[in-house]
Amino acid sequence: MFKCRHRFHDILIVSIIFFKKEVNGMNSIGQTIKMYRKMLNLTQEELAQKVRVGTHTIEKYESGEQIPSNQTLLKLSTALDIPASELAKTNHVNSATTN
């Protein structure tokens, strides 16, 4: 039971951080991916393996150099255990950088 409570606490903290960044206009899909990846204690390499992309691709997503495709967003949401809508709402489409 303690583990569940701890997980709820982590989610609450992440949600507060996410909300603050969104209010300040500072949130991006890359920041969201990184935040949830770190919350799950995953390395970029581990996330890349789960999503079946290269580590360099995850680096590009997190740095904002590249935006994941809708298909990749679904894979990321599954790997990070969050709703795809959570990622999609931060996905500012830029056709020049989509994967």
Side-chain angles (χ1 to χ4, degrees), residues 35-66:
M35 181 173 53
Y36 280 100
R37 176 181 62 77
K38 286 188 171 191
M39 189 179 88
L40 294 173
N41 295 316
L42 292 173
T43 64
Q44 287 180 332
E45 185 176 287
E46 290 168 332
L47 180 58
Q49 288 174 352
K50 288 178 179 263
V51 180
R52 297 184 185 258
V53 298
T55 304
H56 190 65
T57 302
I58 298 295
E59 290 172 9
K60 284 185 171 186
Y61 293 160
E62 290 185 357
S63 70
E65 290 178 52
Q66 190 173 347

Side-chain angles (χ1 to χ4, degrees), residues 2-90:
F2 177 75
K3 192 173 189 176
C4 240
R5 183 176 288 177
H6 181 69
R7 173 104 168 124
F8 175 76
H9 180 262
D10 287 347
I11 291 170
L12 181 61
I13 296 296
V14 167
S15 297
I16 291 168
I17 292 167
F18 183 81
F19 178 75
K20 284 182 178 180
K21 286 182 178 181
E22 202 167 73
V23 167
N24 293 330
M26 293 170 37
N27 204 0
S28 72
I29 190 165
Q31 291 170 329
T32 304
I33 292 167
K34 186 175 185 176
M35 181 173 53
Y36 280 100
R37 176 181 62 77
K38 286 188 171 191
M39 189 179 88
L40 294 173
N41 295 316
L42 292 173
T43 64
Q44 287 180 332
E45 185 176 287
E46 290 168 332
L47 180 58
Q49 288 174 352
K50 288 178 179 263
V51 180
R52 297 184 185 258
V53 298
T55 304
H56 190 65
T57 302
I58 298 295
E59 290 172 9
K60 284 185 171 186
Y61 293 160
E62 290 185 357
S63 70
E65 290 178 52
Q66 190 173 347
I67 297 173
S69 67
N70 288 336
Q71 183 179 2
T72 305
L73 279 176
L74 291 173
K75 291 177 183 179
L76 284 163
S77 71
T78 300
L80 297 171
D81 195 28
I82 59 173
S85 60
E86 199 66 29
L87 289 173
K89 73 180 180 181
T90 61

